[in-house]
Amino acid sequence: MKSGFVNIFGRPNAGKSTLLNALMGEKLAIVSHKVQTTRHRIKAILNEKDYQIIFSDTPGIIKPEYKLHEKMMQSVKGALEDADVALLIVDINDNWDECDAIFSALKLRVPAVLVLNKVDRTNKERITEAEAYFSSKSYVKKTVAISALTGINYKKFLQPILELLPEGQPFYEDDSISDLPEKFFVSELIREKIYEQAHDEIPYHTAVLIREFKEKETLTKIVADIIVHRETQKMILIGEKGTMIKKLGTSARLDIEAFLGRKVFLELFVKVKPKWRDNDLHLKEYGYGQ
């Protein structure tokens, strides 16, 4: 039996969340073309009869500008500390030297598999060059080329990971797919819709707080606050005669129903909390750190 933590690191928009979802065959991490979508460490548990892999999606590695960013980078630090294997994911069209500088700065103490992602957007020559470039780095034990979006060869991808994973008993029960509660994933699905439907800085200035999550006989009642910085952002999210918030709510409700497998009544409110990204009390209330 093999069991351990395989934690995913990379720059924003390298495809960490898309890879996690592809490996699990289920949407656990929200995805957006906008950078810095992932704010939390999300553990996903892959169970088979002879192994248990606990994958962790982590926020993209950035230079912190707010306390929120500091909390995000703390979750990256935590993932570094308990990893058995590191998955270092690179958008093959990014600057490789910059990626190397980030990975070298991690000071990894565990073996790493370098994942070249988005290979469907380049040619064989560049893939070969990238494999040679990263294979020469001391922190890289194996390299794998994939397109997480179009699909991965599951067994081929897992093989080098399983070779590096330690022997041990499972950490979680067989039927667990994550250590996070349903409420967390519901708040993330709402936040994903904000990334999809709102523009400019609004998604980055937004948090979601689930205030009520009640399972009734015929449906689940969910009440959530969408937190923004300024009154102008609140007005944009509500929209003229409530059109924006209705559209956002309908779209989120459909995804939440698909995730929970039952009917949902979703009520959304938009609230203004100035400078919440730099307020420790607000950050703790919204689920960012202790």
Side-chain angles (χ1 to χ4, degrees), residues 17-31 42 44-46 154 175-178 182 185 189 255 258-261:
S17 299
T18 305
L19 174 60
L20 183 82
N21 293 339
L23 288 167
M24 295 303 296
E26 186 163 348
K27 186 174 179 178
L28 291 180
I30 65 172
V31 177
I42 298 172
I45 304 156
L46 186 63
Y154 199 69
D175 58 349
S176 302
I177 60 165
S178 179
E182 286 182 335
F185 293 104
L189 288 170
D255 276 12
F259 178 77
L260 297 177

Side-chain angles (χ1 to χ4, degrees), residues 30-34 37 39 186-209 224-228 233 236-238 244-245 247-249 251-252 255 268-270 276:
I30 65 172
V31 177
S32 166
H33 66 277
K34 297 181 174 77
T37 308
R39 291 179 181 168
V186 166
S187 70
E188 287 287 274
L189 288 170
I190 295 168
R191 199 165 62 84
E192 181 181 52
K193 297 306 167 190
I194 299 167
Y195 271 79
E196 285 177 6
Q197 297 179 24
H199 302 296
D200 302 322
E201 85 284 356
I202 289 178
Y204 304 104
H205 290 195
T206 306
V208 175
L209 175 66
D225 289 343
I226 297 173
I227 312 299
V228 293
Q233 295 169 338
I236 290 167
L237 276 182
I238 292 172
M244 179 73 160
I245 198 73
K247 183 183 170 189
L248 202 152
S251 182
D255 276 12
L268 298 177
F269 296 90
V270 185
W276 68 265

Side-chain angles (χ1 to χ4, degrees), residues 14-83:
K16 297 180 297 298
S17 299
T18 305
L19 174 60
L20 183 82
N21 293 339
L23 288 167
M24 295 303 296
E26 186 163 348
K27 186 174 179 178
L28 291 180
I30 65 172
V31 177
S32 166
H33 66 277
K34 297 181 174 77
V35 298
Q36 295 176 33
T37 308
T38 302
R39 291 179 181 168
H40 299 267
R41 179 182 177 184
I42 298 172
K43 292 179 191 168
I45 304 156
L46 186 63
N47 287 300
E48 295 293 346
K49 66 177 195 314
D50 52 353
Y51 62 82
Q52 182 182 80
I53 304 175
I54 302 104
F55 289 104
S56 283
D57 183 18
T58 60
I61 298 165
I62 55 170
K63 184 178 178 182
E65 293 180 26
Y66 305 95
K67 285 186 178 178
L68 170 63
H69 291 166
E70 290 172 12
K71 302 286 186 189
M72 288 160 61
M73 292 308 97
Q74 282 171 18
S75 69
V76 173
K77 185 173 181 285
L80 279 169
E81 288 170 356
D82 67 21

